[in-house]
Amino acid sequence: MATSLPTSDVSAASDHVFNVERHDELQLSPEDRKRITERTKWVLDSPDPPGFRQEIIGSIKNAVCSQKNNKPSSSQPPLAWVVTFLRSMFPILNWARDYKASMFKDDLLSGLTLASLCIPQSIGYAALAQLNPQYGLYTSVVPPLIYTTMGTSRELAIGPVAVVSLLISAMVSKVINPVVDPISYTKLVFTVTFFTGTFQALFGLFRLGFLVDFLSQAAIVGFMAGAAIVIGLQQLKGLLAISHFTTKTDIVSVLIAVGKSFHTSWYPQNFILGCSFLIFILITRIIGKRNRKLFWLPAVAPLVSVILSTAIVYLTRADQHGVKIIKHVKGGLNPSSVNELQFNSPHLRESVKIGLVCAVIALTEAVAVGRSFATVKGYNMDGNKEMIAMGFMNIAGSMSSCYVATGSFSRTAVNFFAGCQTAVSNVVMAITVLIMLQFLTGLLYYTPVAILSSIILSALPGLINYTEAYNIWKVDKLDFLACAGAFFGVLFASVEMGLMVAVAVSFAKIILNALRPRVQELGRLPGTDIFCEVDQYPVAQAVPGVLIIRLNSGLLCFTNANPLRDRILNWVAEENGKEAIKRPINGIILDMSSVTNIDYAGTLALEEINKKLLSGGIKLAIASPRWQVIHKLKVAKFVDKVGRDCIFLTVCEAVDSFVGSKITGPGNC
């Protein structure tokens, strides 16, 4: 170095601790300047990032061929490329080659156990969706078969679920009254199912799964809990055999409808029968939880309840004494519903809207359930492929008299504990339901409606997660606000209102964080070349004469550019205005390692900051810019305005350039 230092200063310099009174005497050696210049070239001479068109095409390719071994190569012959494409689109072609007879034994047992739970639940969920019973059974045939070929989860059980059935009932019935015009109502449900599948497939093809994430986990917890209570209240219609019930889903309207029913003729036999078997199902569930070997007991309890209650009604002729029964259930194979899709309907706009809502809710539930069990089994589930599989199975379902299907948590848990090995258990379940449709639907004639209500009620406790709601409250109060908003919105307004409140609160949180991003001062940890936030690490030492600021925001854009500009300029003024300051600020380093992208407003804000600082004799430096950021700064000519020598690979090098201390090498910066 050009200036010799006292022994104490040499010792301090060896520990990388800056001597406040000597900064102006330190100078960088030519080798050090050359090294910093070379690293700056690494930043400035990086290749251009992919454009918008390339990103879209790349997303589709990655979605279709996401696995490394399945990505087609330009050197492959056309036939090999087709095989690779098919193996990527249909994962069954990958795992079916290793399928063994011993695995089928487990899948057969799981599938039969699954069918025993699926059959009564499907009929009950169809009633919840205000559809004829056979449509619930149809939905347990075609979608599971499609999913088996395209899905990546081994345990996920596909079919109708309570929350989606409630969504369809609540939203579609506002467009067409199912009591007044059941045929048009059913056609509109098929159309909604088609658009649900279309949106799901598009989400997967274009990697738009992040749209589902706008409905945060907190909002889902609140929505599910509210929906569970609403579904439970809706089952009072079946338990009390109420003929005229409200089409509204809010708790006030339902309770008023129940209160009015007591002033008319109602039959307590339905309530007694339904509650008796509800208690039976809940007891078997408790036994199954305490003894894992008896996992099959709660799975077959709903089917046993249907068989026993049907026998009781038939033998006692209880249907002639006020017990309401299902009566005729249409059997046979799934009829085609292609001609029933209403693309020229005046309600097309409503169909698209409802389809989008159902797509998001169905995907959220299925992906969450599938990933949780995949984690237990120790394999990865491809989220984008799941969306594509869900999309195509619902599109196919809409053409074969099915309504929206997704992954069921209760049935997936049964499938898991039954020891399923692959998605073949879904095939076994679908074939069993198909046999039921073909030969045994006549046996359901005397099945009491109250039993279907009790089966649905028995599945609702799993939708209310008190523990997670409490954890949300402890971790993030704003998240809990979204949870509570979704819960009370569903409970006291409507399903749509609950979703709107949840999404609105989630968006408000995002906007609030975007408008008010955190800006932190950095300091050097003693004895290191690491720069950390001073507030988090009080031992970190500020560099005299240099203010190091980290922008803790993923985006520097029009929503936060001006507040950030004002915050930085005010900060500099405050620092220079302090009486105790030993050395005025003559350099500002912006650590942009957290900023992943920037827009035009962001570049203008940086230009204004640079002009204001230069007018006050303060130099601006940019450290650690990300790929998209430095590309746009070069395109906007900001790099030319601030100077190429003010762009640095790391904060450490920027500090060394300002204060003239010797750098120690790239590995330490």
Side-chain angles (χ1 to χ4, degrees):
M1 302 294 284
T3 306
S4 62
L5 299 174
T7 305
S8 60
D9 289 341
V10 172
S11 176
S14 66
D15 289 335
H16 305 288
V17 180
F18 286 92
N19 187 307
V20 174
E21 298 176 356
R22 290 286 188 174
H23 279 305
D24 55 341
E25 300 178 14
L26 298 174
Q27 297 293 329
L28 285 175
S29 66
E31 292 79 9
D32 293 333
R33 292 191 179 280
K34 182 178 179 181
R35 192 178 305 170
I36 292 178
T37 302
E38 181 181 356
R39 294 179 190 178
T40 297
K41 287 182 179 180
W42 295 350
V43 179
L44 295 175
D45 296 341
S46 59
D48 293 342
F52 179 76
R53 179 172 171 272
Q54 291 173 294
E55 287 184 349
I56 293 295
I57 296 175
S59 295
I60 297 175
K61 286 183 178 179
N62 290 331
V64 175
C65 306
S66 60
Q67 297 179 9
K68 292 181 180 179
N69 296 333
N70 286 344
K71 288 187 178 181
S73 171
S74 57
S75 60
Q76 286 182 325
L79 182 59
W81 192 96
V82 171
V83 172
T84 302
F85 173 79
L86 290 175
R87 288 179 59 187
S88 179
M89 282 293 293
F90 301 98
I92 190 174
L93 298 176
N94 296 316
W95 55 263
R97 295 176 299 175
D98 302 323
Y99 196 76
K100 301 175 182 177
S102 59
M103 298 170 69
F104 179 71
K105 180 182 176 181
D106 294 331
D107 286 335
L108 178 63
L109 176 62
S110 301
L112 293 174
T113 307
L114 201 56
S116 67
L117 176 62
C118 169
I119 291 171
Q121 278 193 351
S122 297
I123 297 172
Y125 292 151
L128 180 60
Q130 302 192 60
L131 294 167
N132 291 329
Q134 65 267 20
Y135 294 115
L137 295 172
Y138 292 157
T139 306
S140 296
V141 176
V142 173
L145 294 175
I146 301 291
Y147 179 83
T148 300
T149 64
M150 301 185 70
T152 58
S153 173
R154 303 169 192 168
E155 298 82 23
L156 196 63
I158 300 298
V161 297
V163 174
V164 175
S165 299
L166 174 66
L167 271 174
I168 288 175
S169 173
M171 300 182 75
V172 178
S173 62
K174 290 183 178 179
V175 182
I176 297 177
N177 192 320
V179 177
V180 176
D181 192 355
I183 296 177
S184 297
Y185 176 84
T186 303
K187 290 180 179 180
L188 188 60
V189 169
F190 293 155
T191 308
V192 166
T193 303
F194 176 85
F195 285 115
T196 298
T198 302
F199 280 119
Q200 290 173 332
L202 289 175
F203 288 164
L205 286 172
F206 291 99
R207 290 185 172 268
L208 299 176
F210 67 90
L211 294 176
V212 178
D213 294 332
F214 278 120
L215 203 59
S216 65
Q217 179 62 22
I220 289 294
V221 170
F223 174 79
M224 289 293 187
I229 295 175
V230 168
I231 292 169
L233 292 172
Q234 291 284 326
Q235 300 320 300
L236 293 176
K237 176 184 178 181
L239 283 176
L240 301 175
I242 301 173
S243 300
H244 303 287
F245 202 68
T246 179
T247 57
K248 297 180 180 179
T249 58
D250 64 281
I251 186 172
V252 177
S253 299
V254 172
L255 291 178
I256 291 174
V258 172
K260 289 180 178 179
S261 70
F262 286 109
H263 299 292
T264 60
S265 59
W266 69 285
Y267 300 92
Q269 299 95 319
N270 293 276
F271 184 76
I272 295 171
L273 190 65
C275 287
S276 299
F277 281 99
L278 174 60
I279 294 171
F280 166 70
I281 294 171
L282 293 177
I283 290 174
T284 60
R285 184 164 296 174
I286 294 172
I287 295 172
K289 284 184 177 180
R290 291 183 177 179
N291 189 346
R292 292 292 187 185
K293 293 181 179 179
L294 298 176
F295 69 88
W296 53 269
L297 190 58
V300 301
L303 185 60
V304 171
S305 300
V306 169
I307 295 172
L308 291 178
S309 62
T310 302
I312 291 171
V313 172
Y314 176 75
L315 294 174
T316 62
R317 298 299 177 185
D319 58 307
Q320 299 177 5
H321 301 282
V323 174
K324 194 173 182 180
I325 59 175
I326 293 178
K327 297 185 179 179
H328 179 69
V329 178
K330 184 180 179 181
L333 299 175
N334 291 41
S336 173
S337 56
V338 175
N339 295 329
E340 296 183 20
L341 297 177
Q342 304 293 298
F343 297 123
N344 296 321
S345 168
H347 306 302
L348 184 63
R349 186 173 181 180
E350 288 83 355
S351 301
V352 174
K353 183 186 74 172
I354 299 171
L356 177 59
V357 174
C358 289
V360 172
I361 296 298
L363 278 178
T364 302
E365 183 172 0
V367 172
V369 172
R371 280 180 176 164
S372 62
F373 285 97
T375 301
V376 175
K377 281 289 189 76
Y379 69 92
N380 293 323
M381 191 185 80
D382 193 319
N384 285 298
K385 285 189 177 181
E386 285 298 298
M387 294 178 189
I388 295 173
M390 293 281 172
F392 278 102
M393 80 178 188
N394 277 315
I395 291 173
S398 69
M399 300 178 183
S400 53
S401 301
C402 305
Y403 74 100
V404 180
T406 187
S408 164
F409 180 81
S410 60
R411 294 197 294 274
T412 301
V414 168
N415 199 26
F416 175 80
F417 289 116
C420 77
Q421 297 293 323
T422 65
V424 170
S425 59
N426 271 304
V427 177
V428 175
M429 178 198 71
I431 293 174
T432 306
V433 175
L434 191 60
I435 294 172
M436 169 77 183
L437 279 166
Q438 195 71 17
F439 304 108
L440 304 175
T441 52
L443 299 177
L444 296 173
Y445 185 89
Y446 288 98
T447 301
V449 174
I451 291 302
L452 302 180
S453 297
S454 65
I455 291 172
I456 294 175
L457 284 169
S458 68
L460 297 182
L463 296 178
I464 304 176
N465 196 332
Y466 305 98
T467 304
E468 192 162 6
Y470 178 65
N471 289 335
I472 292 169
W473 165 260
K474 289 195 300 183
V475 173
D476 193 322
K477 300 299 186 289
L478 200 57
D479 255 2
F480 184 79
L481 183 60
C483 178
F487 176 77
F488 289 111
V490 171
L491 207 57
F492 291 100
S494 64
V495 174
E496 307 98 292
M497 182 57 67
L499 287 173
M500 287 175 62
V501 170
V503 172
V505 174
S506 300
F507 265 107
K509 183 180 178 182
I510 295 171
I511 293 171
L512 187 62
N513 289 333
L515 290 175
R516 300 178 59 187
R518 294 181 61 195
V519 181
Q520 295 292 335
E521 180 182 2
L522 305 185
R524 187 197 292 264
L525 292 179
T528 72
D529 284 324
I530 300 173
F531 289 83
C532 299
E533 296 177 3
V534 175
D535 292 339
Q536 184 178 1
Y537 299 93
V539 297
Q541 299 176 352
V543 179
V546 179
L547 182 61
I548 309 171
I549 298 173
R550 174 177 290 160
L551 307 182
N552 285 332
S553 176
L555 294 174
L556 180 55
C557 58
F558 66 95
T559 59
N560 58 19
N562 291 333
L564 279 173
R565 176 200 61 200
D566 297 338
R567 178 74 181 90
I568 292 170
L569 294 177
N570 291 336
W571 200 341
V572 174
E574 290 172 4
E575 289 293 325
N576 283 332
K578 292 180 180 178
E579 295 181 0
I581 192 169
K582 294 184 178 180
R583 184 171 178 177
I585 301 297
N586 54 33
I588 299 290
I589 299 174
L590 292 184
D591 177 10
M592 301 188 70
S593 57
S594 299
V595 182
T596 59
N597 213 330
I598 187 172
D599 68 358
Y600 184 66
T603 62
L604 290 179
L606 289 179
E607 288 183 15
E608 290 183 37
I609 292 172
N610 185 47
K611 289 179 182 178
K612 292 284 181 68
L613 292 178
L614 286 177
S615 65
I618 301 173
K619 194 172 184 180
L620 175 67
I622 304 294
S624 306
R626 304 293 286 270
W627 196 11
Q628 290 281 357
V629 174
I630 191 61
H631 170 68
K632 292 184 179 180
L633 291 181
K634 289 190 294 184
V635 172
K637 306 297 182 182
F638 175 79
V639 172
D640 297 333
K641 295 173 184 177
V642 75
R644 295 175 65 89
D645 59 339
C646 290
I647 308 295
F648 298 94
L649 183 63
T650 65
V651 173
C652 182
E653 292 177 359
V655 171
D656 290 334
S657 178
F658 269 112
V659 302
S661 63
K662 185 177 178 64
I663 62 174
T664 58
N668 297 326
C669 295

